[in-house]
Amino acid sequence: MNGPSELSSFSGTKVGVVGLGKMGWHFAKRLHDAGAEVFIHSRSRGKATDLEALGLIYCKTPQDLARKIKSGFIVICVTDTVAVEQVICGDQGLLLSMNPETLVIDMGTTQVMNTRVLAGRVDHVGAGYLDAPVSGGAVGAENGTLSIMVGGSETDFRRALPLFNVLGENINHVGSLGAGQIAKTANQMIVAMTIDAVAEALTLASRAGADPAKVRNALLGGFADSRILELHGQRMIERNFEPGARATVQLKDVKQASELAKHYDLKLTGLETALTLWQKMVDDGLGDLDQAGFINAVEKTIDNNNQTKG
């Protein structure tokens, strides 16, 4: 686990964090604890209250935050591509007051083509840009154990590496701008399809007369083992669907993967099947459940099919 000492080389550096959800809140706190002077912005002011009490500085708009960062970093962690575009290019966006020596780092999951366009807009004012989406969830964000997939120039990556070392452990420079988002797209494809596989396997085990908890334990450590089987599989067995990551977010990511595949004229059957299943889950009113709640959608589909046959 990384600690505050990782940032000692630039303690006092100004860092802005835009977006204080389950990930961004922890980003801001870890960077503050590591010695950075942290400026924060969120559309919901209430999310900033506890951080302000710790000494982080709230800014009313992204533009106001950009004024404060002269040669430091601005980390963006918001919900989707539209939100990132608004933060950067909106009426009160970063571009209106961005200093040329700033390095913007998008750590959310953003569409690849839009990432490259936004990077071009930032480059036009002389600032740098990295796309650096993460995997590991809110627990990884709190503990500084995230996997971080980075796209952008080698120079900008090296400049941001001390910051990444505070936030994560498995840090990879994947390639040029957009490559980080491509890696995250691959990650989300695997997550979405593996959740489906685990949900269907545990449902089959149960319907066939075996204890799904014992089946899961038997599979751990074998070729079928995965973090999905370990964590989401346990949640499925416990029927614990309190959201860590909501199904609506997973659907958004699968849609982005599908759009990227279509852009390159690729027909990926597994991906399209996953998109259909996650869309159905959300359409059935289960979108606010944790991703593990996908087992409800599997069970509902099976029961509906049985009723149709009957």
Side-chain angles (χ1 to χ4, degrees):
M1 185 183 302
N2 297 324
S5 62
E6 295 289 352
L7 247 184
S8 59
S9 62
F10 65 94
S11 179
T13 294
K14 292 185 176 181
V15 180
V17 178
V18 180
L20 299 176
K22 292 183 177 181
M23 306 296 285
W25 195 97
H26 291 298
F27 291 172
K29 185 177 185 302
R30 286 191 63 82
L31 290 165
H32 169 75
D33 290 346
E37 183 180 7
V38 182
F39 300 84
I40 52 177
H41 170 75
S42 173
R43 288 180 296 184
S44 176
R45 178 67 185 267
K47 293 180 178 179
T49 302
D50 291 343
L51 293 174
E52 286 184 274
L54 296 174
L56 287 75
I57 303 165
Y58 184 79
C59 301
K60 293 182 179 179
T61 67
Q63 180 183 7
D64 183 38
L65 182 144
R67 290 193 189 100
K68 306 289 196 304
I69 311 296
K70 294 184 178 180
S71 60
F73 304 86
I74 297 177
V75 173
I76 303 173
C77 190
V78 293
T79 52
D80 54 28
T81 302
V82 173
V84 177
E85 291 174 335
Q86 186 64 29
V87 166
I88 294 174
C89 305
D91 292 341
Q92 296 178 312
L94 298 174
L95 284 177
L96 296 174
S97 298
M98 188 177 293
N99 291 285
E101 296 180 13
T102 301
L103 179 56
V104 177
I105 308 172
D106 176 19
M107 301 192 75
T109 304
T110 306
Q111 290 172 314
V112 175
M113 303 308 166
N114 301 68
T115 291
R116 291 169 176 161
V117 171
L118 290 169
R121 295 288 301 274
V122 171
D123 179 71
H124 186 70
V125 300
Y129 196 97
L130 293 172
D131 55 291
V134 303
S135 180
V139 172
E142 181 177 5
N143 295 330
T145 57
L146 294 169
S147 292
I148 306 177
M149 314 154 217
V150 187
S153 74
E154 179 71 23
T155 299
D156 286 341
F157 172 71
R158 291 296 171 189
R159 179 181 170 192
L161 190 55
L163 182 147
F164 291 144
N165 282 334
V166 173
L167 305 180
E169 288 184 341
N170 181 26
I171 302 161
N172 288 277
H173 184 210
V174 184
S176 60
L177 283 163
Q181 296 296 350
I182 293 170
K184 181 59 184 291
T185 297
N187 182 84
Q188 295 307 90
M189 288 172 61
I190 293 169
V191 168
M193 287 186 268
T194 305
I195 289 174
D196 176 25
V198 170
E200 291 192 22
L202 294 180
T203 300
L204 174 60
S206 177
R207 300 292 174 99
D211 182 341
K214 292 182 178 179
V215 170
R216 171 184 166 276
N217 286 338
L219 299 179
L220 293 173
F223 264 22
D225 197 2
S226 68
R227 291 285 286 169
I228 299 298
L229 179 64
E230 178 187 352
L231 299 179
H232 288 82
Q234 184 65 29
R235 290 171 186 162
M236 291 175 189
I237 289 166
E238 295 174 347
R239 313 301 290 189
N240 174 16
F241 306 132
E242 184 69 25
R246 298 179 190 274
T248 49
V249 175
Q250 185 65 61
L251 174 60
K252 181 262 295 183
D253 293 344
V254 174
K255 283 182 176 178
Q256 289 186 188
S258 177
E259 290 165 3
L260 183 62
K262 289 176 181 176
H263 180 84
Y264 288 102
D265 199 26
L266 298 176
K267 183 173 179 59
L268 302 177
T269 305
L271 174 60
E272 292 310 309
T273 299
L275 176 57
T276 299
L277 294 170
W278 284 96
Q279 183 67 64
K280 187 176 188 308
M281 178 179 177
V282 173
D283 290 344
D284 285 345
L286 304 175
D288 284 337
L289 298 182
D290 183 83
Q291 294 163 319
F294 190 85
I295 196 169
N296 286 309
V298 169
E299 294 166 342
K300 186 173 182 179
T301 298
I302 291 170
D303 293 338
N304 288 342
N305 288 341
N306 289 339
Q307 289 175 7
T308 300
K309 290 178 182 179

